[in-house]
Amino acid sequence: MHVAGAVLAGGQSRRMGRTKALIDVGGQPMATHVAIALAAAGCRDVVLVGGDPIELGSLKLAVIADKYPGEGPVGGVLTALHHYQHHSQHHRIGAATHVVIAACDLPGLTAGAVHQMLGAVTAATDVVVAMTDRLEPAFAVWNVQTIDPIEAAFETGIRAMHDVLSLFEVVTVAIDPDEMRNINRPEDLLR
């Protein structure tokens, strides 16, 4: 199993009023917290998906243009899977079989949580999703092979992550709710 990482950074941040990926939490940008957790858990080639590459340049990560801007996280997941599928076709050695995809606004995410998620992956696993008191699709491990059914659903207009997840046998992993606390509004930074 070869695992890559992607941090979704293309959201509009309407409630926050500024680019969430760059908001400082504990001395570094939120997206950096997430990228470090992915890399420390063994994800190779961690990229940012979406957002302005110039604005996000300070994060020192490759920025992959969102193929479906404004279409929500399902578009971001598809973009990440496309990137690694294409990357795999051109770099046969160590092609990614799975991609850990996490939203940029989860600054509490740790390598330990990523390890927990990866521990639930088998060759036959389509998707592993974090679980608190509810499903947390903003943090999931996707098999690169899931791209075709996701794309087919997307083409029919499906944009809700829960609808996409219903296409697969989902494995869930209990994750500490503190690691899944997302930052959507300025007041969330005070919690």
Side-chain angles (χ1 to χ4, degrees), residues 84-135:
Y84 287 111
Q85 184 184 57
H86 176 78
H87 198 69
S88 297
Q89 290 166 348
H90 292 89
H91 303 89
R92 288 272 171 237
I93 301 166
T97 56
H98 294 80
V99 184
V100 180
I101 302 177
C104 70
D105 63 353
L106 300 173
L109 196 64
T110 65
V114 180
H115 276 297
Q116 279 182 265
M117 296 283 282
L118 292 174
V121 176
T122 68
T125 306
D126 289 324
V127 61
V128 176
V129 180
M131 175 74 91
T132 55
D133 57 339
R134 60 191 167 93
L135 214 51

Side-chain angles (χ1 to χ4, degrees), residues 60-77:
K60 308 280 188 275
L61 290 165
V63 179
I64 307 305
D66 191 341
K67 290 175 62 128
Y68 312 96
E71 296 291 344
V74 175
V77 167

Side-chain angles (χ1 to χ4, degrees), residues 24-76:
D24 185 292
V25 174
Q28 63 188 357
M30 281 201 292
T32 300
H33 283 280
V34 177
I36 287 171
L38 298 184
C43 295
R44 297 184 317 206
D45 189 34
V46 177
V47 299
L48 292 169
V49 174
D52 180 335
I54 295 168
E55 186 181 22
L56 298 174
S58 65
L59 300 179
K60 308 280 188 275
L61 290 165
V63 179
I64 307 305
D66 191 341
K67 290 175 62 128
Y68 312 96
E71 296 291 344
V74 175

Side-chain angles (χ1 to χ4, degrees), residues 8-23 30 49-52 55-56 66 68-73 103-105 183-185:
L8 300 184
Q12 304 236 334
S13 302
R14 277 187 290 268
R15 288 176 286 181
M16 185 57 81
R18 56 192 169 120
T19 303
K20 284 203 276 188
L22 297 173
I23 291 173
M30 281 201 292
V49 174
D52 180 335
E55 186 181 22
L56 298 174
D66 191 341
Y68 312 96
E71 296 291 344
C104 70
D105 63 353
I183 307 291
N184 286 314
R185 295 174 295 275

Side-chain angles (χ1 to χ4, degrees), residues 152-171:
F154 194 81
E155 286 172 9
T156 68
I158 290 176
R159 296 296 182 272
M161 191 61 82
H162 291 280
D163 291 340
V164 169
L165 290 172
S166 72
L167 303 171
F168 304 105
E169 275 193 43
V170 174
V171 175

